[in-house]
PDB file of all heavy atoms in Angstrom:
ATOM      1  N   LYS A  13      -7.368 -13.570  -2.989  1.00 87.00           N
ATOM      2  CA  LYS A  13      -7.648 -14.156  -1.677  1.00 87.00           C
ATOM      3  C   LYS A  13      -6.722 -15.339  -1.371  1.00 87.00           C
ATOM      4  O   LYS A  13      -6.592 -15.733  -0.213  1.00 87.00           O
ATOM      5  CB  LYS A  13      -9.105 -14.583  -1.597  1.00 87.00           C
ATOM      6  CG  LYS A  13     -10.007 -13.378  -1.432  1.00 87.00           C
ATOM      7  CD  LYS A  13     -11.408 -13.763  -1.125  1.00 87.00           C
ATOM      8  CE  LYS A  13     -12.227 -12.510  -0.883  1.00 87.00           C
ATOM      9  NZ  LYS A  13     -13.653 -12.780  -0.898  1.00 87.00           N
ATOM     10  N   GLU A  18      -6.493 -15.339   6.064  1.00 88.00           N
ATOM     11  CA  GLU A  18      -7.707 -14.796   6.677  1.00 88.00           C
ATOM     12  C   GLU A  18      -7.826 -15.144   8.160  1.00 88.00           C
ATOM     13  O   GLU A  18      -8.476 -14.416   8.908  1.00 88.00           O
ATOM     14  CB  GLU A  18      -8.954 -15.293   5.921  1.00 88.00           C
ATOM     15  CG  GLU A  18      -8.962 -14.801   4.485  1.00 88.00           C
ATOM     16  CD  GLU A  18     -10.362 -14.605   3.930  1.00 88.00           C
ATOM     17  OE1 GLU A  18     -11.233 -14.135   4.656  1.00 88.00           O
ATOM     18  OE2 GLU A  18     -10.553 -14.924   2.748  1.00 88.00           O
ATOM     19  N   HIS A  23      -6.587  -7.595  11.446  1.00 91.00           N
ATOM     20  CA  HIS A  23      -5.161  -7.297  11.597  1.00 91.00           C
ATOM     21  C   HIS A  23      -4.907  -6.338  12.756  1.00 91.00           C
ATOM     22  O   HIS A  23      -5.826  -5.795  13.342  1.00 91.00           O
ATOM     23  CB  HIS A  23      -4.592  -6.786  10.280  1.00 91.00           C
ATOM     24  CG  HIS A  23      -5.324  -5.619   9.688  1.00 91.00           C
ATOM     25  ND1 HIS A  23      -5.478  -4.436  10.361  1.00 91.00           N
ATOM     26  CD2 HIS A  23      -5.942  -5.451   8.495  1.00 91.00           C
ATOM     27  CE1 HIS A  23      -6.145  -3.593   9.605  1.00 91.00           C
ATOM     28  NE2 HIS A  23      -6.463  -4.189   8.461  1.00 91.00           N
ATOM     29  N   TRP A  25      -3.407  -3.413  12.790  1.00 93.00           N
ATOM     30  CA  TRP A  25      -3.295  -1.994  12.511  1.00 93.00           C
ATOM     31  C   TRP A  25      -4.495  -1.237  13.088  1.00 93.00           C
ATOM     32  O   TRP A  25      -5.589  -1.788  13.236  1.00 93.00           O
ATOM     33  CB  TRP A  25      -3.159  -1.775  10.998  1.00 93.00           C
ATOM     34  CG  TRP A  25      -1.907  -2.372  10.441  1.00 93.00           C
ATOM     35  CD1 TRP A  25      -0.655  -2.283  10.988  1.00 93.00           C
ATOM     36  CD2 TRP A  25      -1.762  -3.165   9.257  1.00 93.00           C
ATOM     37  NE1 TRP A  25       0.254  -2.973  10.214  1.00 93.00           N
ATOM     38  CE2 TRP A  25      -0.390  -3.529   9.149  1.00 93.00           C
ATOM     39  CE3 TRP A  25      -2.632  -3.609   8.267  1.00 93.00           C
ATOM     40  CZ2 TRP A  25       0.111  -4.287   8.101  1.00 93.00           C
ATOM     41  CZ3 TRP A  25      -2.135  -4.380   7.225  1.00 93.00           C
ATOM     42  CH2 TRP A  25      -0.780  -4.712   7.147  1.00 93.00           C
ATOM     43  N   LYS A  36      -4.089  -4.763   0.394  1.00 93.00           N
ATOM     44  CA  LYS A  36      -5.097  -5.266  -0.527  1.00 93.00           C
ATOM     45  C   LYS A  36      -4.727  -4.905  -1.969  1.00 93.00           C
ATOM     46  O   LYS A  36      -4.834  -5.729  -2.866  1.00 93.00           O
ATOM     47  CB  LYS A  36      -6.455  -4.669  -0.146  1.00 93.00           C
ATOM     48  CG  LYS A  36      -7.586  -5.292  -0.909  1.00 93.00           C
ATOM     49  CD  LYS A  36      -8.980  -5.024  -0.381  1.00 93.00           C
ATOM     50  CE  LYS A  36      -9.168  -3.942   0.610  1.00 93.00           C
ATOM     51  NZ  LYS A  36     -10.594  -3.758   0.959  1.00 93.00           N
ATOM     52  N   LYS A 227      -8.994  12.874   3.277  1.00 93.00           N
ATOM     53  CA  LYS A 227      -9.279  14.083   2.497  1.00 93.00           C
ATOM     54  C   LYS A 227      -8.100  15.050   2.563  1.00 93.00           C
ATOM     55  O   LYS A 227      -7.809  15.747   1.587  1.00 93.00           O
ATOM     56  CB  LYS A 227     -10.559  14.748   3.013  1.00 93.00           C
ATOM     57  CG  LYS A 227     -11.794  13.995   2.560  1.00 93.00           C
ATOM     58  CD  LYS A 227     -13.049  14.584   3.135  1.00 93.00           C
ATOM     59  CE  LYS A 227     -14.242  13.712   2.800  1.00 93.00           C
ATOM     60  NZ  LYS A 227     -15.374  13.989   3.659  1.00 93.00           N
TER      61      LYS A 227
ATOM     62  N   ARG B  30     -14.279  -8.067  11.895  1.00 91.00           N
ATOM     63  CA  ARG B  30     -13.080  -7.423  11.347  1.00 91.00           C
ATOM     64  C   ARG B  30     -13.199  -5.902  11.350  1.00 91.00           C
ATOM     65  O   ARG B  30     -12.214  -5.201  11.263  1.00 91.00           O
ATOM     66  CB  ARG B  30     -12.868  -7.879   9.909  1.00 91.00           C
ATOM     67  CG  ARG B  30     -12.423  -9.318   9.795  1.00 91.00           C
ATOM     68  CD  ARG B  30     -12.101  -9.603   8.352  1.00 91.00           C
ATOM     69  NE  ARG B  30     -11.927 -11.014   8.146  1.00 91.00           N
ATOM     70  CZ  ARG B  30     -11.784 -11.556   6.946  1.00 91.00           C
ATOM     71  NH1 ARG B  30     -11.823 -10.795   5.871  1.00 91.00           N
ATOM     72  NH2 ARG B  30     -11.616 -12.849   6.803  1.00 91.00           N
ATOM     73  N   LYS B  32     -13.412  -2.143  12.324  1.00 92.00           N
ATOM     74  CA  LYS B  32     -12.914  -1.375  13.470  1.00 92.00           C
ATOM     75  C   LYS B  32     -13.597  -0.021  13.600  1.00 92.00           C
ATOM     76  O   LYS B  32     -13.217   0.797  14.428  1.00 92.00           O
ATOM     77  CB  LYS B  32     -11.397  -1.177  13.339  1.00 92.00           C
ATOM     78  CG  LYS B  32     -10.642  -2.469  13.507  1.00 92.00           C
ATOM     79  CD  LYS B  32      -9.174  -2.280  13.252  1.00 92.00           C
ATOM     80  CE  LYS B  32      -8.476  -3.623  13.280  1.00 92.00           C
ATOM     81  NZ  LYS B  32      -7.230  -3.597  12.517  1.00 92.00           N
ATOM     82  N   GLU B  39     -18.374   7.487   4.944  1.00 92.00           N
ATOM     83  CA  GLU B  39     -18.058   8.824   4.431  1.00 92.00           C
ATOM     84  C   GLU B  39     -17.904   8.840   2.905  1.00 92.00           C
ATOM     85  O   GLU B  39     -18.339   9.770   2.235  1.00 92.00           O
ATOM     86  CB  GLU B  39     -16.765   9.292   5.105  1.00 92.00           C
ATOM     87  CG  GLU B  39     -16.297  10.671   4.730  1.00 92.00           C
ATOM     88  CD  GLU B  39     -17.160  11.775   5.308  1.00 92.00           C
ATOM     89  OE1 GLU B  39     -17.756  11.563   6.364  1.00 92.00           O
ATOM     90  OE2 GLU B  39     -17.213  12.850   4.668  1.00 92.00           O
ATOM     91  N   GLU B  69     -15.496  -1.288  -0.699  1.00 92.00           N
ATOM     92  CA  GLU B  69     -14.634  -2.461  -0.678  1.00 92.00           C
ATOM     93  C   GLU B  69     -13.167  -2.078  -0.925  1.00 92.00           C
ATOM     94  O   GLU B  69     -12.262  -2.562  -0.262  1.00 92.00           O
ATOM     95  CB  GLU B  69     -15.096  -3.454  -1.741  1.00 92.00           C
ATOM     96  CG  GLU B  69     -14.373  -4.771  -1.654  1.00 92.00           C
ATOM     97  CD  GLU B  69     -14.832  -5.762  -2.698  1.00 92.00           C
ATOM     98  OE1 GLU B  69     -16.030  -5.750  -3.047  1.00 92.00           O
ATOM     99  OE2 GLU B  69     -14.004  -6.538  -3.163  1.00 92.00           O
ATOM    100  N   ARG B  71     -11.760   0.855  -0.366  1.00 92.00           N
ATOM    101  CA  ARG B  71     -11.208   1.722   0.675  1.00 92.00           C
ATOM    102  C   ARG B  71     -11.170   1.087   2.057  1.00 92.00           C
ATOM    103  O   ARG B  71     -10.519   1.604   2.954  1.00 92.00           O
ATOM    104  CB  ARG B  71     -12.007   3.021   0.754  1.00 92.00           C
ATOM    105  CG  ARG B  71     -11.835   3.903  -0.463  1.00 92.00           C
ATOM    106  CD  ARG B  71     -12.172   5.328  -0.147  1.00 92.00           C
ATOM    107  NE  ARG B  71     -12.062   6.181  -1.311  1.00 92.00           N
ATOM    108  CZ  ARG B  71     -10.927   6.697  -1.749  1.00 92.00           C
ATOM    109  NH1 ARG B  71      -9.801   6.465  -1.102  1.00 92.00           N
ATOM    110  NH2 ARG B  71     -10.910   7.455  -2.828  1.00 92.00           N
ATOM    111  N   PRO B  73      -9.912  -0.686   5.001  1.00 93.00           N
ATOM    112  CA  PRO B  73      -8.579  -1.184   5.331  1.00 93.00           C
ATOM    113  C   PRO B  73      -8.618  -2.514   6.071  1.00 93.00           C
ATOM    114  O   PRO B  73      -7.587  -3.107   6.310  1.00 93.00           O
ATOM    115  CB  PRO B  73      -8.003  -0.095   6.251  1.00 93.00           C
ATOM    116  CG  PRO B  73      -9.055   0.921   6.446  1.00 93.00           C
ATOM    117  CD  PRO B  73     -10.331   0.394   5.921  1.00 93.00           C
ATOM    118  N   GLU B  78     -17.664  -6.345   1.336  1.00 91.00           N
ATOM    119  CA  GLU B  78     -17.627  -6.814  -0.055  1.00 91.00           C
ATOM    120  C   GLU B  78     -18.933  -6.438  -0.748  1.00 91.00           C
ATOM    121  O   GLU B  78     -19.995  -6.551  -0.129  1.00 91.00           O
ATOM    122  CB  GLU B  78     -17.528  -8.336  -0.076  1.00 91.00           C
ATOM    123  CG  GLU B  78     -16.135  -8.883  -0.246  1.00 91.00           C
ATOM    124  CD  GLU B  78     -16.168 -10.402  -0.317  1.00 91.00           C
ATOM    125  OE1 GLU B  78     -16.734 -11.039   0.577  1.00 91.00           O
ATOM    126  OE2 GLU B  78     -15.641 -10.941  -1.291  1.00 91.00           O
TER     127      GLU B  78
END
Side-chain angles (χ1 to χ4, degrees):
Chain A
K13 285 190 176 166
E18 297 210 39
H23 54 59
W25 296 316
K36 189 166 14 177
K227 284 176 187 162
Chain B
R30 289 186 191 172
K32 291 175 186 156
E39 182 72 28
E69 188 180 326
R71 292 202 182 278
E78 263 183 307

